[in-house]
């Protein structure tokens, strides 16, 4: 029997290749020096640099998993709720097509956030397109909230870190890039559901993947980066959005004409984080304006002189003082928002 060699039918910026038999290869083929950021970090239930990490399957049928970051902390006995920490539900980026919750780029920043914010981070292993087109990842994000509700009500499996230390009354959604789209969509869905004792206290979309069919000025003028190119924007969304849909779909343009009116959504307070040199900054700011017009509680944090997902680039954070300073400013802004809510 003669085996025909698979033919490459699509490749996206070194991150992803699709073959004629439908198989998907996500092996990094870009510069070897950055490969470590896309490599998995094993869980460790002992504390390392003040944080312990474990992976938990939250749905045996689907296999949906989360990664939990628990910070080492001293109880505050002046607080009646002294052992309880806010819970941050994290949605990773990757244009809905690449990356995993255990990648080093997320580990290095979300272990830092858990430690600095004294918060438990629950990072969801989202299903990826094109094998699982949207709304699969959004369903996974919402499933994580439903799982927290079941824990809070004492149903289902016992998760000691969350039972012993998690404050179900202060749950925040955080998402990087396309994960920021999930923050909006999951919060909107949660606004119509009884999640008690879980209270959604806030949403933090960081450099969300909000775009539209017509190129924005920033897309045409801002520099591309390894974390975001126009090829990635176009190709990933073509693979991820429901078939036949354009970038004006509500998943990618939640403030657009095709989306449910924002003033009809029951949303928690939001902190929108924008990088000044982000390719898709203009459409993020269009979302900001639409949310303000709808009288939503929305704060804006802009980091000057940096691009899309700059804080995930460990090399730049370590080597460039400005990137390091802006990463600290971003972390401090997120922590301040969490403390207020």
């Amino acid at each position: 029997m003669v085996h025909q060699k698979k033919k490459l039918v699509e490749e996206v910026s070194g991150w992803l290749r699709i073959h004629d038999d439908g198989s998907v290869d996500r092996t990094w083929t870009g510069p070897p020096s950055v490969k470590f950021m896309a490599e998995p970090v094993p869980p460790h239930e002992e504390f390392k640099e003040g944080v312990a990490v474990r992976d938990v399957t939250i749905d045996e049928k689907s296999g949906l998993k989360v990664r939990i970051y628990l910070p080492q902390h001293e109880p505050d006995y002046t607080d009646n709720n002294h052992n309880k920490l806010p819970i941050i539900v994290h949605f990773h980026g990757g244009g809905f097509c690449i990356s995993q919750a255990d990648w080093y780029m997320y580990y290095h920043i979300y272990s830092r956030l858990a430690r600095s914010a004294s918060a438990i981070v629950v990072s969801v292993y989202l299903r990826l397109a094109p094998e699982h087109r949207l709304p699969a990842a959004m369903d996974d994000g919402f499933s994580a909230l439903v799982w927290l509700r079941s824990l809070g009500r004492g149903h289902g499996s016992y998760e000691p870190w969350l039972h012993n230390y998690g404050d179900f009354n202060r749950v925040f959604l955080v998402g990087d890039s396309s994960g920021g789209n999930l923050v909006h969509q999951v919060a909107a869905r949660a606004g119509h559901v009884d999640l008690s004792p879980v209270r959604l206290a806030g949403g933090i979309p960081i450099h969300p993947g909000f775009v539209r069919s017509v190129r924005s000025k920033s897309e045409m003028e801002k520099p591309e980066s390894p974390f975001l190119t126009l090829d990635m924007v176009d190709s990933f969304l073509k693979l991820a959005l429901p078939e036949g849909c354009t970038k004006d779909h509500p998943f990618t343009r939640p403030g657009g004409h095709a989306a449910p009116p924002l003033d009809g959504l029951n949303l928690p307070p939001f902190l929108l984080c924008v990088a000044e040199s982000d390719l898709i900054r203009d459409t993020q700011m269009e979302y900001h304006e639409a949310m303000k017009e709808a009288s939503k509680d929305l704060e804006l944090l802009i980091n000057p002189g940096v691009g899309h997902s700059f804080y995930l680039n460990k090399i730049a954070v370590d080597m460039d003082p400005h990137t390091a300073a802006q990463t600290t400013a971003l972390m401090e802004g997120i922590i301040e928002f969490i403390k207020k809510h």
Side-chain angles (χ1 to χ4, degrees):
M1 184 176 177
V2 178
H3 292 280
Q4 288 188 326
K5 189 177 180 181
K6 291 190 292 188
K7 291 182 180 178
L8 184 68
V9 295
E10 187 152 7
E11 182 168 13
V12 187
S13 297
W15 287 103
L16 177 146
R17 285 149 304 286
I18 300 175
H19 297 96
D20 58 355
D21 64 352
S23 61
V24 181
D25 179 9
R26 294 182 173 88
T27 306
W28 171 246
T29 59
S33 59
V34 303
K35 185 175 184 292
F36 75 95
M37 289 191 284
E39 290 183 337
V41 177
H44 50 84
E45 298 205 14
E46 72 282 7
F47 286 101
K48 292 183 180 179
E49 297 183 347
V51 179
V53 178
R54 62 184 304 200
D55 288 341
V56 176
T57 300
I58 67 172
D59 187 326
E60 293 292 344
K61 285 185 179 178
S62 69
L64 182 61
K65 294 193 306 178
V66 297
R67 167 157 289 201
I68 305 176
Y69 297 81
L70 177 70
Q72 206 164 11
H73 68 289
E74 293 296 327
D76 177 6
Y77 293 104
T78 64
D79 184 349
N80 291 332
N81 212 22
H82 60 262
N83 269 332
K84 300 301 183 180
L85 306 176
I87 299 170
I88 299 171
V89 178
H90 168 243
F91 307 133
H92 64 73
F96 310 110
C97 292
I98 59 169
S99 83
Q100 293 286 345
D102 60 1
W103 277 15
Y104 181 77
M105 68 170 69
Y106 302 116
Y107 174 86
H108 93 84
I109 206 71
Y110 285 96
S111 57
R112 174 177 172 176
L113 181 61
R115 182 173 58 247
S116 302
S118 290
I120 299 173
V121 175
V122 178
S123 186
V124 185
Y125 285 85
L126 302 166
R127 283 176 292 172
L128 302 176
E131 301 95 326
H132 305 283
R133 286 181 177 265
L134 296 174
M138 291 158 186
D139 292 341
D140 292 343
F142 186 72
S143 293
L145 282 187
V146 173
W147 175 69
L148 287 179
R149 178 181 68 181
S150 70
L151 293 181
R153 293 180 178 180
H155 302 156
S157 59
Y158 177 70
E159 173 32 60
W161 288 2
L162 288 162
H163 273 104
N164 294 337
Y165 304 112
D167 184 354
F168 292 93
N169 192 49
R170 294 181 66 218
V171 175
F172 296 83
L173 305 180
V174 176
D176 319 286
S177 191
S178 57
N181 301 47
L182 267 65
V183 169
H184 177 91
Q185 297 295 334
V186 172
R189 193 186 301 189
H192 300 289
V193 177
D194 177 15
L195 288 173
S196 61
V198 168
R199 180 180 73 92
L200 205 53
I204 308 171
I206 308 175
H207 313 166
F210 298 150
V211 292
R212 49 179 160 82
S213 293
V214 178
R215 286 258 192 255
S216 67
K217 189 166 181 260
S218 60
E219 280 180 295
M220 293 186 287
E221 294 181 356
K222 295 295 180 184
E224 296 184 327
S225 76
F227 285 102
L228 193 66
T229 64
L230 292 177
D231 178 41
M232 291 167 69
V233 171
D234 296 342
S235 298
F236 282 159
L237 294 182
K238 183 179 72 175
L239 296 170
L241 285 168
E243 292 204 46
C245 293
T246 72
K247 288 185 283 187
D248 291 323
H249 191 283
F251 294 161
T252 43
R253 197 181 181 192
H257 296 302
L262 293 174
D263 56 9
L265 301 181
N266 178 22
L267 297 173
F270 267 41
L271 173 66
L272 174 63
C273 303
V274 174
E276 183 187 42
S277 300
D278 196 334
L279 267 182
I280 52 176
R281 182 197 66 185
D282 287 356
T283 35
Q284 294 163 359
M285 294 306 296
E286 288 173 6
Y287 171 79
H288 172 262
E289 290 158 16
M291 288 279 279
K292 284 297 187 183
E293 286 177 11
S295 301
K296 295 304 177 186
D297 184 346
L298 178 75
E299 296 179 42
L300 178 64
L301 189 162
I302 299 179
N303 290 105
V306 283
H308 191 81
S309 296
F310 67 90
Y311 57 98
L312 296 178
N313 186 342
K314 186 64 163 60
I315 297 172
V317 172
D318 287 346
M319 302 295 290
D320 176 46
H322 181 69
T323 302
Q326 290 306 313
T327 299
T328 297
L330 175 64
M331 292 289 106
E332 289 174 349
I334 292 171
I335 292 166
E336 181 183 352
F337 177 82
I338 289 171
K339 285 181 176 177
K340 283 196 298 191
H341 298 283

